[in-house]
Amino acid sequence: NDMATRYYYNIFIKTNKNPDTVMQQLKNKFAQQRPYVITMEEMANLDRESNTNMFNTMKAFAVMTLLIGTFGIFNNFIISFLERKRSLAVLRSIGMSRRQTLKMMFVESLSGGIIGGSTGILAGFLGLFTVPYIMKAMNQSIPIHNSVSTFLAAFVLGVVITMVASISPSISSSKLNIIESIKYE
């Protein structure tokens, strides 16, 4: 009445008969109007399928973000090595051993991975904390679960990625030619 429509868009019918039988009877009775008739079970399946598609799309974006972040980490370590080439050569020239250089690079990457992983977990937890309120505001009822194992796996993966990203710069820094690197500008 408020919208002044002449026809109903949706009609929900509760029956104690077989829903498929009632659906077929409605389709036969109103065949000329070509009604779209669906049972609650089919509606639930369509909703589940729609939610699955939406979450698969979100997972794809998450994986893409993870890959971009991984390349960013690799890039940062390589750029950091190139910028610090001269200072590493100076440290080597005053007595720092190759082993100490490797150790320094791995400790840096380990601490960076721990800080990055902790920050990521905190941001993820805050995001998961706010999502139920956002879904409630949108009148959606999608349950959100916090999985400790997923957070732990993400933390470990963050540390492992930074450790792997530091391997090449660490090996390169331990093999530096001191004289050429000091001249490097």
Side-chain angles (χ1 to χ4, degrees):
N1 281 341
D2 291 338
M3 298 179 71
T5 56
R6 292 182 53 197
Y7 303 105
Y8 291 107
Y9 291 104
N10 294 316
I11 299 174
F12 293 96
I13 299 172
K14 184 175 182 179
T15 180
N16 56 3
K17 296 181 182 177
N18 183 356
D20 294 323
T21 306
V22 173
M23 180 177 71
Q24 195 57 44
Q25 288 173 349
L26 287 171
K27 282 183 178 182
N28 292 340
K29 184 171 183 173
F30 299 104
Q32 289 183 340
Q33 286 87 13
R34 295 185 188 138
Y36 177 71
V37 183
I38 188 170
T39 64
M40 289 300 288
E41 183 179 329
E42 291 171 342
M43 191 183 302
N45 288 337
L46 287 174
D47 283 346
R48 238 183 265 103
E49 188 177 309
S50 174
N51 288 343
T52 301
N53 290 338
M54 180 178 67
F55 283 115
N56 285 340
T57 303
M58 291 170 66
K59 284 180 186 178
F61 279 117
V63 168
M64 189 181 337
T65 304
L66 181 66
L67 288 174
I68 291 169
T70 301
F71 284 118
I73 291 170
F74 276 90
N75 184 38
N76 284 341
F77 273 104
I78 291 169
I79 296 298
S80 173
F81 167 70
L82 291 175
E83 287 182 0
R84 294 174 44 197
K85 206 174 194 182
R86 186 167 189 232
S87 63
L88 289 171
V90 169
L91 289 173
R92 290 277 315 281
S93 71
I94 59 172
M96 182 181 247
S97 69
R98 292 175 193 251
R99 184 178 181 145
Q100 287 173 325
T101 305
L102 285 172
K103 190 175 182 180
M104 180 182 74
M105 297 290 276
F106 279 120
V107 167
E108 285 178 10
S109 66
L110 178 65
S111 61
I114 290 171
I115 291 169
S118 300
T119 304
I121 286 175
L122 180 64
F125 180 75
L126 290 174
L128 284 176
F129 181 74
T130 58
V131 166
Y133 297 109
I134 294 169
M135 299 308 283
K136 187 176 180 182
M138 294 173 26
N139 289 328
Q140 298 289 324
S141 61
I142 299 175
I144 305 295
H145 304 285
N146 298 332
S147 172
V148 175
S149 62
T150 303
F151 281 112
L152 186 60
F155 177 78
V156 170
L157 187 62
V159 172
V160 168
I161 287 172
T162 56
M163 295 297 290
V164 169
S166 72
I167 290 174
S168 176
S170 297
I171 292 172
S172 297
S173 67
S174 70
K175 295 180 180 179
L176 279 178
N177 184 337
I178 296 172
I179 296 172
E180 285 181 21
S181 297
I182 290 177
K183 290 180 184 178
Y184 178 77
E185 285 295 324

